[in-house]
Amino acid sequence: MTLTAAPTEAPTTSPPTAKRARGAITWIVIVIVLLVAAGFGVVLSGIGQWAERGMLDPESAGPTGTRAIVEVLRDHGVEVTVARDRATAARELAEGPATLVLPDAPALSDDAIEELADAASDVVLIDPRTRTLRLAFEGAGPAGAAGADPIEPRCGLPEAQRAGRVAPGAVFLAGDADEACYPSGDGFGLLSGPHEDGGRISAVDGRVLFTNERLAADGNAALAANLMGRHPHLVWYVPSPADSDLADANPSLGELTPPWVSPVIVLLIVAGVTAAIWRGRRFGPLVTERLPVTVRASETTEGRARLYAQSRDATHALDQLRIGALERISHLLGLGRAASAPEICDAAAARVGVDRAIVRGTLIDQIPADDAELVALAQRIRQLEQAVRAAVRPERNTP
């Protein structure tokens, strides 16, 4: 049997220099793609870091940042220092009278928070939680949230009276606070009390009142400036997990895993990269072959026979022999393509003069039980085909 394909031009052999150039270009493209991917990763990491620092961050211009109030205070002559670690905040507060803006700091112990607060003249809690409220005002605590409508101060605190109406957001139980402003239900939107050396400590929901997107509403800006601008120096502390002084802080994932995990992960990564390179180079370059290609029929037949023998599928092999014999016998007898197997068997039996049951058993019904029966049945099929050919063309059998 001959397999042919459309002739194609013989491939030209590229010189070694051209091959090396193509290989170098491929590696250059890979490096560029990796660099671009790394650049995107850096950009996305920066975006995530900006979003993480956005809430109440004094240097963030995002909607939830507080850069706007910082600029307002600076325009009024207040020196604003952003301290992103506890040591810097303590150092700045020790230089003279200053206001400390303190958000929630879950990584600090009670002693550390009180130490920072005691070093300041005024303290403004802009994200008061249960613990910081308890430290500032005995008996104080969260009491829900006020509605969206602005509320009058209804207290004697001058800073709140000058600011006027605000929508305070979260409200708190007053506890032992001297002044409780903006009442809503059982809580108040602003708590204030005495602090060190005639100073004041205040608690207010800065997430609602002092962010960039809400500062211009009602008296929010005036309230922020009044509370934070009582001294010429303001220290805005931004808590950092590195400032933690808690001995029983939650361990990191690296601390929880056994020491052998990291080396194993590195080893698996190296093994994966090595396997990928090995598999990529193992097969080598593609080999071209000229067309058309001539394949002998005996090779195809022998290959299929080996496959049938290996799978031990005698029935399938016999079906192939019978299908071929039926097609050839049908062609010898002049039957059309629509002739069925029983019709071909009956026509062959009539032409050769053999019982129809024997012909049908040979070409359709009999199933071999082992390889020996398969060989014997194949021989009978060949003999039947030869007998039909001899009956149809007797002149070819005469000496």
Side-chain angles (χ1 to χ4, degrees), residues 6-75:
T8 59
E9 296 182 359
T12 59
T13 303
S14 302
T17 304
K19 292 182 178 179
R20 286 195 295 270
R22 286 198 297 268
I25 292 173
T26 301
W27 281 109
I28 291 173
V29 171
I30 293 174
V31 170
I32 292 174
V33 171
L34 291 177
L35 290 176
V36 171
F40 276 114
V42 171
V43 171
L44 293 177
S45 176
I47 292 174
Q49 184 179 8
W50 179 88
E52 182 180 356
R53 290 177 52 184
M55 179 58 70
L56 295 178
D57 191 284
E59 293 180 339
S60 172
T64 59
T66 53
R67 183 176 176 181
I69 185 57
V70 170
E71 296 301 326
V72 170
L73 291 170
R74 285 172 176 165
D75 290 342

Side-chain angles (χ1 to χ4, degrees), residues 16-190:
T17 304
K19 292 182 178 179
R20 286 195 295 270
R22 286 198 297 268
I25 292 173
T26 301
W27 281 109
I28 291 173
V29 171
I30 293 174
V31 170
I32 292 174
V33 171
L34 291 177
L35 290 176
V36 171
F40 276 114
V42 171
V43 171
L44 293 177
S45 176
I47 292 174
Q49 184 179 8
W50 179 88
E52 182 180 356
R53 290 177 52 184
M55 179 58 70
L56 295 178
D57 191 284
E59 293 180 339
S60 172
T64 59
T66 53
R67 183 176 176 181
I69 185 57
V70 170
E71 296 301 326
V72 170
L73 291 170
R74 285 172 176 165
D75 290 342
H76 285 75
V78 178
E79 179 186 357
V80 179
T81 300
V82 178
R84 296 194 178 275
D85 59 82
R86 185 158 58 101
T88 301
R91 185 175 61 253
E92 293 292 332
L93 292 171
E95 293 182 356
T99 300
L100 172 65
V101 176
L102 182 63
D104 182 49
L108 299 184
S109 65
D110 292 356
D111 292 339
I113 293 176
E114 290 179 343
E115 181 181 350
L116 276 177
D118 291 343
S121 300
D122 282 3
V123 179
V124 180
L125 304 176
I126 58 173
D127 188 17
R129 305 299 174 94
T130 302
R131 183 179 65 142
T132 50
L133 284 171
R134 174 177 52 80
L135 293 175
F137 309 102
E138 186 67 29
D149 297 331
I151 303 172
E152 293 290 346
R154 299 177 188 171
C155 66
L157 188 66
E159 289 82 358
Q161 291 179 351
R162 291 197 302 268
R165 294 155 52 91
V166 299
V171 294
F172 319 103
L173 298 175
D176 64 351
D178 284 0
E179 296 287 350
C181 307
Y182 304 107
S184 176
D186 295 332
F188 300 86
L190 171 62

